[in-house]
Amino acid sequence: RFGHRGAASRLLYFVISFLRTVWVGWCCVGLMSSFDRVLIQKILFPRPFVCLLKKHRDKIVYDFDDAIFTTDDPQSLFGRIGNWRRGNSLPRMLASAETVTVENAYTGSYAQSFCDRVETITGPIDTDRYSPVERPEGERFVLGWMGSSTTTPYLTGILGSLERVADARPEVVL
């Protein structure tokens, strides 16, 4: 959402995100003893919270469905800080959990380096309800992208392929 704005907007976004993470961390640590299991999804708490959470390791299930451990070669300071943060924080979060849930073998292999119990849960697609069907020739077909402003640049890597599909199949709409 702030990806195309100036540095001040991005800085404000990061400050607000950090404050939200600290608030959620305090809530999580404070309420941990009230629950049998706690699912933490993709949030990366600062080190002090992870140390406090480790005391309740047997209750923690950590879930991440994207390859958030991969890094880019960012040109901006914010991008470099994000890479550094993920590179340091994700291993600690994984090590603080009794169980880690992932969506595929690639992310599972990474998680296995830090947590002994990794469970793979594939994407939530009901294949009984959603299955390939025959389409009449020329019927419009929508090819969607599910992502955010920060991941949209990855489309540029496949732009040539998308253009070839559009040339060969004019009924395909991105």
Side-chain angles (χ1 to χ4, degrees), residues 94-141:
L94 296 171
S96 73
E98 178 194 45
T99 305
V100 173
T101 58
V102 297
E103 192 172 278
N104 57 54
Y106 179 64
T107 53
S109 176
Y110 178 82
Q112 194 74 49
S113 302
F114 305 98
C115 183
D116 293 335
R117 185 171 176 196
V118 177
E119 302 289 339
T120 302
I121 302 171
T122 58
I125 297 173
D126 182 350
T127 56
D128 291 330
R129 183 172 178 190
Y130 300 102
S131 57
V133 297
E134 292 294 322
R135 294 181 174 273
E137 185 74 26
E139 182 181 326
R140 182 175 163 219
F141 180 85

Side-chain angles (χ1 to χ4, degrees), residues 5-167:
R5 296 190 182 170
S9 293
R10 291 191 56 132
L11 179 60
L12 179 61
Y13 169 77
F14 283 113
V15 168
I16 290 169
S17 295
F18 178 76
L19 292 173
R20 183 183 66 92
T21 300
V22 168
W23 172 252
V24 171
W26 276 120
C27 291
C28 194
V29 168
L31 296 171
M32 187 65 71
S33 60
S34 302
F35 299 98
D36 296 325
R37 288 268 187 251
V38 175
L39 174 68
I40 301 172
Q41 187 177 37
K42 213 186 323 187
I43 194 166
L44 300 173
F45 290 126
R47 183 187 302 252
F49 294 104
V50 177
C51 292
L52 293 170
L53 289 173
K54 273 188 167 182
K55 295 176 184 176
H56 303 280
R57 185 174 190 269
D58 60 322
K59 296 181 176 192
I60 298 174
V61 176
Y62 188 78
D63 174 74
F64 72 108
D65 58 350
D66 294 327
I68 59 176
F69 53 89
T70 59
T71 57
D72 298 321
D73 185 22
Q75 301 302 312
S76 73
L77 174 63
F78 296 116
R80 289 192 296 276
I81 290 170
N83 281 345
W84 173 82
R85 184 172 172 264
R86 283 189 308 274
N88 288 298
S89 299
L90 183 58
R92 282 195 298 264
M93 291 300 297
L94 296 171
S96 73
E98 178 194 45
T99 305
V100 173
T101 58
V102 297
E103 192 172 278
N104 57 54
Y106 179 64
T107 53
S109 176
Y110 178 82
Q112 194 74 49
S113 302
F114 305 98
C115 183
D116 293 335
R117 185 171 176 196
V118 177
E119 302 289 339
T120 302
I121 302 171
T122 58
I125 297 173
D126 182 350
T127 56
D128 291 330
R129 183 172 178 190
Y130 300 102
S131 57
V133 297
E134 292 294 322
R135 294 181 174 273
E137 185 74 26
E139 182 181 326
R140 182 175 163 219
F141 180 85
V142 178
L143 180 61
W145 168 260
M146 188 171 72
S148 66
S149 62
T150 59
T151 60
T152 302
Y154 293 117
L155 285 173
T156 60
I158 62 169
L159 191 55
S161 298
L162 293 172
E163 288 172 344
R164 285 192 295 280
V165 169
D167 290 343

